[in-house]
């Protein structure tokens, strides 16, 4: 097990450098970051040149990358053009997004798995068909539509929630945005659980559990669910990474100043340091989430052993 | 009588129509008695057992008639909760493929101990002690060390022993073993069968042994019920049936056992295929494959004729079959 973890951690190194380099190059291709700084007017050539030297933009790209990576390993993610440290931005943005992601995951686990179990055990009945159609609708409608609709109805028309989340983003204000963020994944979790439950419900060991005279609840929870959750856990695990980076739309709609919001601003202002810094951390989160999922596999299914 | 099945009918509603899997089965098992139920795949022997246990998938299955009297109570009229309490405590089942029938993600100790926790309200710790005792009893070596192992870490024979231990856990009065040795190596088959017979004697349990292996039957069974197309075609004490079968189907089954004194000869096989349960032939269901079939067999369903005190045969020509040897 220990050896397996070490091997996986080592495998992360090339992935880490590869992705960061790719992002670095992509941001460079986007155009001259200085050009956008002075608004619609052309920048004063002298100021522009000074800024370029200050941020090291006059050097070749590979050299910029090496300098940047060198700084990253000392904990310095650079400075945004407005003079704020990128690490400072992260310190305010990440807690908010982590909170939002956790709320979304709770929705996925609680609602998604419950609906999946209920429908999986009642295949072809009205509940099943109803939920199935609902999930199809949720999957088909883009997040910005669901988000804006809920914001308009719950926030503006009925005044149940605040349409715009305050800068501190307390948990209660993040519930509706969390639901919006979770919606599509929640529908997938429901469907995945449903299929898995329906498939395993016919398994021999479930029949054995019934023949042992166990109460139905115990048959479902202890025997059926535990076996059926293996693919669902994989999905939710990888979704952690996707949710954290993919909150751009949701965070924009509800004006949440999290990672998605900062990334959006960074891209809009061609703020290389911010974009590369945030994405690098997201890549790390994604890799860690994947590793945890693989380790969870072995916990859920004793037939899997890592050497 | 411990268990008495009376005129049991089970059908399956499928897209293609109604499959009549069990059509009026009667059999009985007394305490300490072993009944072997013999028949090809699809003869309804497993479905009957599932109906007795109450683990039939309904739908698509439906019990359309009959009674299952267990200790003088008709199980089919009991509430689900009452039936659940009988399962595991008073009757238990051993399945064919222990690997797929045991839960892959729970340790064998957990699966054995569960019986005591659920039915006896024992603490987990006590249940674990009892699990180790059970594993010792079915002669699994190093039970104490292996109680935390998972099913895939055991060999096929050991896994089947665990299944047996699980069925024995609460010392039920009836055990149904559905082809308990089919998935095992021949050498292991004998050991497992021996163990099962020994425990049965010790606990004085009724045993229904479902099999298509005539070799297994001869050693352990007291009486035999042969099934074909969802009906009993012959019942008999075990020795009489080997000496002189009273139904052409039983005769065919016995003739198709390979024998050492017939070396070099072609192996006998009953011609034709088992009937489609959606369209069971009229009259005697076996008539299209029967070497003795006459006109009457195509029209009249044979009743269970009384051959002697202990024997019944559902053949219009049981006398001729007996005499023909």
């Amino acid at each position: 097990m220990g050896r397996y973890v070490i091997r996986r951690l080592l495998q992360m190194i090339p992935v880490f450098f590869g992705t960061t380099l790719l992002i670095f190059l992509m941001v460079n291709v986007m155009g001259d970051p200085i050009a956008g700084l002075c608004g619609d007017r052309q920048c004063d050539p002298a100021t522009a040149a000074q800024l370029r030297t200050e941020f090291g933009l006059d050097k070749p790209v590979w050299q910029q990358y090496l300098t940047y990576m060198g700084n990253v390993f000392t904990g310095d993610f650079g400075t945004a053009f407005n003079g704020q440290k990128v690490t400072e931005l992260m310190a305010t943005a990440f807690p908010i997004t982590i909170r939002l992601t956790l709320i979304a995951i709770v929705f996925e686990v609680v609602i998604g798995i419950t609906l999946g179990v209920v429908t999986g055990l009642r295949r072809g009945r009205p509940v099943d068909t109803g939920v199935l159609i609902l999930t199809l609708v949720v999957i088909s409608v883009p997040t910005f539509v669901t988000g804006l609709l809920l914001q308009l109805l719950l926030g503006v028309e009925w005044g149940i929630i605040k349409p715009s989340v305050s800068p501190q983003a307390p948990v209660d204000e993040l519930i509706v945005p969390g639901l919006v963020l979770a919606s599509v994944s929640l529908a997938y979790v429901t469907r995945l659980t449903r299929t898995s439950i329906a498939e395993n419900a016919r398994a021999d060991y479930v029949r054995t559990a019934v023949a042992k005279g166990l109460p139905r609840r115990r048959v479902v929870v202890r025997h059926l669910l535990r076996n059926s959750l293996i693919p669902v856990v994989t999905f939710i695990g990888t979704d952690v990474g996707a949710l954290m980076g993919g909150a751009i739309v949701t965070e924009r709609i509800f004006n949440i100043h999290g990672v998605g919001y900062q990334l959006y601003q960074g891209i809009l202002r061609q703020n290389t340091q911010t974009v590369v810094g945030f994405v690098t951390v997201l890549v790390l989160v994604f890799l860690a989430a994947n590793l945890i999922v693989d380790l969870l596999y072995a916990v859920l299914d004793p037939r899997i052993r890592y050497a | 009588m411990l268990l008495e099945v009376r005129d049991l009918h089970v059908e399956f509603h499928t897209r293609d129509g109604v499959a009549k899997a069990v059509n009026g089965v009667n059999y009985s098992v007394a305490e300490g008695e072993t009944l072997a139920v013999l028949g090809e795949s699809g003869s309804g022997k497993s479905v009957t057992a599932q109906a007795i246990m109450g683990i039939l998938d309904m739908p698509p299955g439906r019990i359309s008639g009959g009674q299952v009297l267990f200790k003088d109570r008709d199980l089919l009229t009991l509430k689900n909760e009452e039936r659940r309490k009988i399962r595991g405590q008073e009757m238990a089942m051993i399945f064919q493929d222990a690997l797929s029938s045991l839960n892959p993600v729970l340790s064998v100790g957990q699966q054995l101990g569960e019986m005591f926790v659920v039915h006896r309200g024992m603490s987990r710790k006590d249940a674990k002690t009892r699990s180790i005792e059970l594993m010792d009893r079915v002669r699994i070596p190093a039970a104490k060390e292996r109680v935390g192992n998972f099913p895939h870490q055991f060999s096929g024979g050991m896994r089947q022993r665990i299944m047996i231990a699980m069925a024995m856990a609460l010392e039920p009065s009836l055990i149904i073993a559905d082809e308990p040795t089919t998935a095992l190596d021949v050498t292991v088959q004998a050991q497992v069968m021996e163990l099962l017979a020994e425990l049965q004697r010790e606990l004085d349990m009724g045993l229904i042994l479902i099999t298509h292996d005539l070799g297994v039957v001869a050693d352990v069974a007291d009486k035999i019920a042969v099934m074909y197309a969802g009906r009993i075609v012959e019942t008999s004490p075990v020795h009489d049936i080997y000496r002189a079968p009273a139904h052409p189907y039983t005769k065919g089954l016995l003739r198709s056992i390979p024998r050492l004194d017939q070396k070099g000869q072609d192996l006998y096989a009953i011609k034709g295929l088992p009937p489609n349960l959606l369209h069971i032939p009229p009259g005697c269901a076996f008539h299209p494959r029967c070497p003795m079939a006459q006109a009457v067999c195509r029209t009249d369903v044979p009743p269970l004729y009384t051959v002697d005190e202990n024997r019944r045969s559902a053949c219009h020509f049981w006398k001729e079959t007996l005499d023909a040897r």
Side-chain angles (χ1 to χ4, degrees):
Chain A
M1 188 71 142
R3 198 188 275 177
Y4 174 79
V5 175
I6 291 168
R7 203 170 68 218
R8 284 291 303 263
L9 288 173
L10 288 176
Q11 281 171 359
M12 282 185 182
I13 296 171
V15 178
F16 174 74
F17 282 108
T19 40
T20 44
L21 180 62
L22 215 64
I23 300 153
F24 205 84
L25 292 176
M26 261 156 51
V27 175
N28 262 281
V29 171
M30 288 198 311
D32 184 3
I34 301 298
L37 271 184
C38 314
D40 293 334
R41 289 173 294 119
Q42 274 284 348
C43 268
D44 169 35
T47 321
Q50 197 203 331
L51 280 170
R52 281 202 179 87
T53 337
E54 196 186 320
F55 289 105
L57 295 172
D58 50 348
K59 303 216 177 71
V61 179
W62 65 266
Q63 214 174 331
Q64 287 181 39
Y65 178 71
L66 286 183
T67 320
Y68 180 76
M69 287 317 281
N71 289 337
V72 164
F73 281 105
T74 59
D76 178 13
F77 279 84
T79 313
F81 290 135
N82 63 3
Q84 246 187 316
K85 284 258 183 215
V86 174
T87 41
E88 270 171 39
L89 287 178
M90 287 178 182
T92 55
F94 269 99
I96 294 174
T97 297
I98 288 170
R99 218 156 34 225
L100 184 65
T101 307
L102 282 178
I103 292 170
I105 296 285
V106 168
F107 274 119
E108 282 182 28
V109 170
V110 176
I111 302 181
I113 292 179
T114 309
L115 283 180
V117 172
V118 169
T119 54
L121 292 174
R122 289 176 181 72
R123 280 238 287 204
R125 307 259 190 86
V127 196
D128 179 34
T129 321
V131 171
L132 216 56
I133 292 171
L134 199 70
T135 56
L136 196 66
V137 171
V138 172
I139 291 171
S140 323
V141 177
T143 314
F144 63 85
V145 177
T146 359
L148 287 171
L149 204 68
L150 281 179
Q151 186 184 40
L152 184 71
L153 289 178
L154 295 176
V156 182
E157 294 286 324
W158 302 333
I160 299 168
I161 57 157
K162 284 190 191 169
S164 174
V165 173
S166 48
Q168 292 78 27
V171 171
D172 57 323
E173 288 182 25
L174 287 178
I175 288 174
V176 174
L179 183 62
V180 171
L181 180 63
S183 57
V184 174
S185 301
L186 193 148
Y188 278 119
V189 168
T190 304
R191 291 190 149 219
L192 206 59
T193 312
R194 172 186 178 268
T195 316
S196 188
I197 287 272
E199 203 174 287
N200 283 301
R202 284 192 295 263
D204 287 346
Y205 61 80
V206 173
R207 196 184 52 185
T208 311
V210 176
K212 281 161 86 176
L214 307 183
R216 185 165 165 75
R217 205 187 155 76
R218 195 179 173 97
V219 174
V220 170
V221 175
R222 198 174 151 87
H223 289 267
L224 179 55
L225 194 58
R226 174 97 195 265
N227 278 280
S228 306
L229 280 187
I230 296 166
V232 181
V233 166
T234 323
F235 178 81
I236 293 177
T238 43
D239 208 36
V240 172
L243 286 179
M244 288 194 66
I248 297 183
V249 174
T250 315
E251 291 193 357
R252 277 268 312 143
I253 293 172
F254 293 97
N255 189 38
I256 302 164
H257 290 216
V259 173
Y261 177 85
Q262 295 295 351
L263 261 178
Y264 174 77
Q265 296 293 335
I267 295 167
L268 208 66
R269 307 236 166 95
Q270 298 201 351
N271 209 331
T272 326
Q273 310 272 319
T274 321
V275 176
V276 180
F278 272 87
V279 174
T280 306
V281 175
L282 283 178
V283 167
L284 287 175
V285 169
F286 208 89
L287 290 175
N290 270 305
L291 177 60
I292 291 169
V293 165
D294 285 343
L295 295 179
L296 256 181
Y297 250 159
V299 175
L300 281 175
D301 190 342
R303 286 167 294 184
I304 296 172
R305 282 278 172 267
Y306 297 119
Chain B
M1 201 50 83
L2 179 65
L3 175 87
E4 214 176 331
V5 179
R6 282 190 194 157
D7 197 30
L8 185 72
H9 285 79
V10 181
E11 47 192 40
F12 287 92
H13 291 260
T14 67
R15 214 169 284 165
D16 304 318
V18 179
K20 295 192 167 162
V22 177
N23 306 299
V25 161
N26 293 283
Y27 61 58
S28 64
V29 186
E31 285 90 357
E33 190 180 44
T34 301
L35 166 75
V37 180
L38 218 67
E40 295 168 288
S41 318
S43 61
K45 52 193 197 305
S46 292
V47 175
T48 311
Q50 286 173 12
I52 296 169
M53 277 301 287
I55 56 167
L56 202 61
D57 284 330
M58 301 193 284
R62 199 174 84 87
I63 296 172
S64 48
Q67 289 178 309
V68 177
L69 298 172
F70 180 69
K71 296 178 178 168
D72 302 319
R73 282 197 295 176
D74 185 0
L75 296 183
L76 301 182
T77 61
L78 294 183
K79 290 198 186 73
N80 285 337
E81 185 60 16
E82 292 173 301
R83 284 206 87 176
R84 175 182 78 71
K85 285 182 177 151
I86 292 175
R87 281 198 291 269
Q89 291 204 84
E90 296 187 55
M91 57 165 72
M93 194 153 173
I94 297 166
F95 295 98
Q96 183 186 113
D97 182 2
L99 182 58
S100 66
S101 298
L102 291 170
N103 193 327
V105 304
L106 297 178
S107 73
V108 296
Q110 284 174 305
Q111 295 186 59
L112 289 168
E114 196 170 34
M115 301 296 286
F116 301 108
V117 173
V118 170
H119 290 288
R120 296 279 189 267
M122 259 185 215
S123 72
R124 279 198 194 180
K125 213 179 133 203
D126 293 344
K128 192 181 166 190
T129 319
R130 294 298 293 272
S131 306
I132 297 169
E133 285 170 22
L134 271 176
M135 287 169 73
D136 269 331
R137 193 155 182 201
V138 295
R139 293 197 282 277
I140 291 172
K144 206 165 188 170
E145 288 79 55
R146 304 210 68 185
V147 70
N149 284 14
F150 293 92
H152 70 275
Q153 292 166 307
F154 290 87
S155 69
M158 289 298 148
R159 270 197 294 266
Q160 196 56 280
R161 281 165 196 265
I162 290 161
M163 277 246 85
I164 292 173
M166 208 154 78
M168 301 289 169
L170 305 177
E171 308 196 345
S173 37
L174 176 72
I175 294 243
I176 303 176
D178 192 351
E179 313 221 6
T181 58
T182 310
L184 302 176
D185 289 343
V186 185
T187 46
V188 183
Q189 277 184 7
Q191 292 169 13
V192 168
M193 230 22 256
E194 220 167 88
L195 174 72
L196 191 58
E198 182 192 312
L199 289 167
Q200 184 216 2
R201 268 196 309 278
E202 247 171 66
L203 300 171
D204 198 33
M205 295 178 301
L207 173 66
I208 298 178
L209 182 64
I210 297 168
T211 182
H212 53 242
D213 186 347
L214 284 155
V216 170
V217 172
D219 299 330
V220 292
D222 298 308
K223 57 185 189 182
I224 287 187
V226 183
M227 285 188 72
Y228 189 81
R231 293 175 62 106
I232 302 270
V233 293
E234 182 171 359
T235 59
S236 162
V238 71
H239 296 295
D240 296 345
I241 213 167
Y242 280 92
R243 209 180 57 243
H247 194 286
Y249 178 61
T250 319
K251 205 171 171 176
L253 285 180
L254 289 171
R255 274 187 69 190
S256 50
I257 303 175
R259 285 167 53 164
L260 283 174
D261 57 354
Q262 288 176 344
K263 233 166 142 182
Q265 294 174 33
D266 281 347
L267 197 59
Y268 177 82
I270 302 171
K271 63 180 201 292
L273 293 170
N276 179 348
L277 295 175
L278 293 170
H279 308 284
I280 296 175
C284 173
F286 187 57
H287 84 254
R289 305 171 72 184
C290 184
M292 302 180 66
Q294 309 279 327
V296 61
C297 301
R298 282 181 269 278
T299 51
D300 294 1
V301 178
L304 264 181
Y305 294 103
T306 305
V307 176
D308 63 38
E309 197 190 339
N310 298 316
R311 303 188 69 181
R312 307 282 182 275
S313 166
C315 178
H316 293 298
F317 302 100
W318 62 269
K319 254 195 199 98
E320 289 81 345
T321 313
L322 260 186
D323 295 339
R325 289 289 154 100

